[in-house]
Amino acid sequence: MQEISTGPSESQLIRLAADGDARAIRQLYDRYSPRVYAVVRRIAGDDDLAQDYAQEAWIRAIRALPTFRGDARFSTWLHRIAVNAALQALRKSETRKKQEGPVPEQVLVAPRGGDALLQQRLERALDELPYGMRRVLILHDVEGYTHEEIGDTLGVTSGTSKSQLFKARAKMRDMLTALDGAAQESGAEAWSI
Amino acid sequence: MEHLNTEILARLVDQTPQPEEAAHIAECEACSAELEAIRSQTDALRSLPEIRPPQGDWHGLEARLRSEGLMNDPGRFRRIGLAQTPGWMRAAAAAVLFLSGAGAGALLTSPEAPESLGDLAMPSSAATFATSTSVEAAATAVRVAEQNYVAAITRYQQLLISESGVEAGSDPMSRMAALEYLATVSQAAVRQAPGDPYLNGFLVSVLGEREATAQLVASRSNWY
């Protein structure tokens, strides 16, 4: 029977990383960077900003690691830090970079189902959503936040969160329908939800 | 009743419809289909995959973590598994390479390596340093030097063990003499290049090791 070598546990990695251990930090990064990058990328709506926000999120997380007590799962804790870092950074920037030209090809990993074309169109439509709607839609429909959690995170009432969400879903529906129509006109593979 | 607008249908994805809304959806195929489409859209959003960061993302983060003091360098000796190598031995290997350029390093690492420490003659000529013409060439030279350095430590340790039959460094008086020699040489080297961080680090290492050895010798006065 082949012996299975096991590396350090997550709690060990976290302790080592809190002490500044380079290998432990790298392992945490390798494990969680796709998730961190995904959420900040969608909130940012832009690749360049996303890289800055992801880096800021990691810096904050590593700095705060000594205070991580394990009350929540590490992934959840890190995810909250990433969301807050991205939202704060976006608030600070007076004007968001408008995306020009085609959406850069992203390397999607670990698909949870669905086809790549659908996911690509969803990402594109998300990028085009107005910022206020987008952040609520991402937090609720992509990340699974409740309206109360969104209210706490964004400093709005849960009623505002709901209102923004319904507007965002409707806008997404319109944009996806338009994208589908354009694809059919150009002879590309039709897609509809 | 008119069709329900998209925003209302978007609400009905996860909220209970009013009685009149429910009645309309039950009768209107268009609104029913539209509601189903928005539900599918919401499900698809929930299934969006993770996104791998762009290449180079880690390097940028690593640089910043180091600059902010949040990440420690494991150190060259820890990285290459020689953390337990005595400091004086590292210094000896470095001195061999420093004094002889590539020559002694090659001697220590080549198949024709000396059979004993006595065969390892230090060249009397000054060290020969290659002049790098580009950053890339300089980086290559540093990598090669580091590989030679590591190989030299290993070989030097083997020679010491084969001569003494015990673990190297067990004779404090011999260590003291070797360290005195290394201290003199490295002080001369630092005078030549006072701003060189490697030479300064090397000198500090030698002086520290010499001090530790001197204390050890003093604490065992019955050796005399």
Side-chain angles (χ1 to χ4, degrees):
Chain A
M1 191 181 198
Q2 210 172 16
E3 194 176 324
I4 299 169
S5 65
T6 55
S9 68
E10 182 159 282
S11 59
Q12 286 172 322
L13 274 182
I14 291 165
R15 272 200 305 276
L16 288 167
D19 287 338
D21 184 285
R23 282 188 204 169
I25 293 173
R26 178 62 198 257
Q27 283 190 49
L28 289 176
Y29 172 86
D30 287 344
R31 195 174 293 179
Y32 293 110
S33 60
R35 187 163 182 217
V36 167
Y37 191 75
V39 68
V40 301
R41 170 63 185 79
R42 286 174 186 132
I43 289 173
D46 178 287
D47 283 308
D48 291 336
L49 288 178
Q51 262 192 286
D52 292 345
Y53 296 173
Q55 190 176 102
E56 182 60 30
W58 278 103
I59 294 287
R60 285 189 194 191
I62 300 300
R63 197 179 282 142
L65 264 185
T67 66
F68 176 71
R69 299 187 183 283
D71 298 333
R73 286 170 59 192
F74 177 72
S75 58
T76 307
W77 179 83
L78 178 62
H79 188 263
R80 292 287 165 135
I81 289 177
V83 166
N84 287 333
L87 289 172
Q88 281 177 20
L90 261 187
R91 269 198 291 268
K92 278 182 190 169
S93 61
E94 289 183 349
T95 52
R96 186 169 68 87
K97 264 190 191 171
K98 279 288 173 195
Q99 194 144 355
E100 293 174 2
V103 179
E105 199 170 317
Q106 295 167 356
V107 185
L108 304 176
V109 296
R112 285 180 267 178
D115 64 71
L117 183 61
L118 165 62
Q119 287 164 351
Q120 199 178 347
R121 292 186 181 216
L122 283 170
E123 297 282 7
R124 186 168 171 185
L126 275 175
D127 283 351
E128 295 298 322
L129 266 186
Y131 167 56
M133 291 183 197
R134 189 175 72 246
R135 60 182 189 171
V136 173
L137 186 73
I138 289 167
L139 292 179
H140 190 279
D141 282 358
V142 181
E143 303 297 335
Y145 280 42
T146 65
H147 288 292
E148 287 70 28
E149 288 170 327
I150 293 171
D152 289 344
T153 305
L154 301 181
V156 298
T157 64
S158 59
T160 302
S161 172
K162 284 179 188 171
S163 160
Q164 288 284 310
L165 176 68
F166 305 147
K167 282 185 170 62
R169 281 177 179 166
K171 182 89 175 164
M172 280 287 281
R173 173 67 186 145
D174 291 346
M175 286 194 294
L176 289 169
T177 305
L179 280 172
D180 196 26
Q184 281 178 330
E185 275 179 26
S186 67
E189 188 182 345
W191 168 80
S192 62
I193 275 180
Chain B
M1 186 180 177
E2 285 184 13
H3 287 306
L4 300 174
N5 70 38
T6 319
E7 226 174 293
I8 291 174
L9 292 170
R11 168 168 59 79
L12 300 185
V13 167
D14 42 24
Q15 290 200 356
T16 311
Q18 301 293 325
E20 62 272 22
E21 292 167 345
H24 177 79
I25 288 167
E27 290 174 6
C28 178
E29 280 186 24
C31 285
S32 175
E34 189 67 4
L35 175 59
E36 198 48 45
I38 300 174
R39 280 203 176 112
S40 298
Q41 167 191 300
T42 305
D43 290 343
L45 281 171
R46 206 153 284 154
S47 302
L48 280 175
E50 296 175 341
I51 303 173
R52 202 182 298 284
Q55 281 192 339
D57 183 67
W58 164 252
H59 298 299
L61 174 62
E62 184 184 25
R64 201 170 151 202
L65 285 167
R66 286 189 195 285
S67 74
E68 299 202 10
L70 294 169
M71 191 161 88
N72 305 323
D73 193 328
R76 174 171 45 190
F77 287 94
R78 207 165 138 199
R79 286 203 310 273
I80 60 179
L82 290 171
Q84 301 308 314
T85 307
W88 71 271
M89 191 182 290
R90 296 178 204 169
V96 168
L97 290 172
F98 172 71
L99 286 168
S100 61
L107 259 180
L108 281 165
T109 56
S110 73
E112 293 83 33
E115 293 300 320
S116 71
L117 285 171
D119 296 339
L120 184 63
M122 298 280 184
S124 57
S125 60
T128 53
F129 296 99
T131 305
S132 299
T133 53
S134 68
V135 172
E136 200 174 320
T140 304
V142 169
R143 278 198 300 276
V144 170
E146 182 165 340
Q147 286 165 4
N148 287 339
Y149 183 36
V150 171
I153 294 171
T154 308
R155 183 63 185 146
Y156 195 79
Q157 190 170 31
Q158 288 168 354
L159 288 171
L160 283 169
I161 292 170
S162 68
E163 289 216 332
S164 63
V166 294
E167 188 162 355
S170 59
D171 176 5
M173 294 307 292
S174 300
R175 287 183 66 188
M176 194 65 198
L179 286 164
E180 286 291 354
Y181 174 70
L182 289 172
T184 306
V185 170
S186 53
Q187 279 165 341
V190 168
R191 276 196 295 276
Q192 288 286 321
D196 187 303
Y198 173 76
L199 293 177
N200 278 286
F202 175 59
L203 175 58
V204 168
S205 170
V206 169
L207 294 178
E209 201 64 32
R210 187 182 65 172
E211 177 65 23
T213 306
Q215 286 176 6
L216 181 65
V217 170
S219 69
R220 297 188 185 180
S221 53
N222 59 345
W223 284 349
Y224 297 96

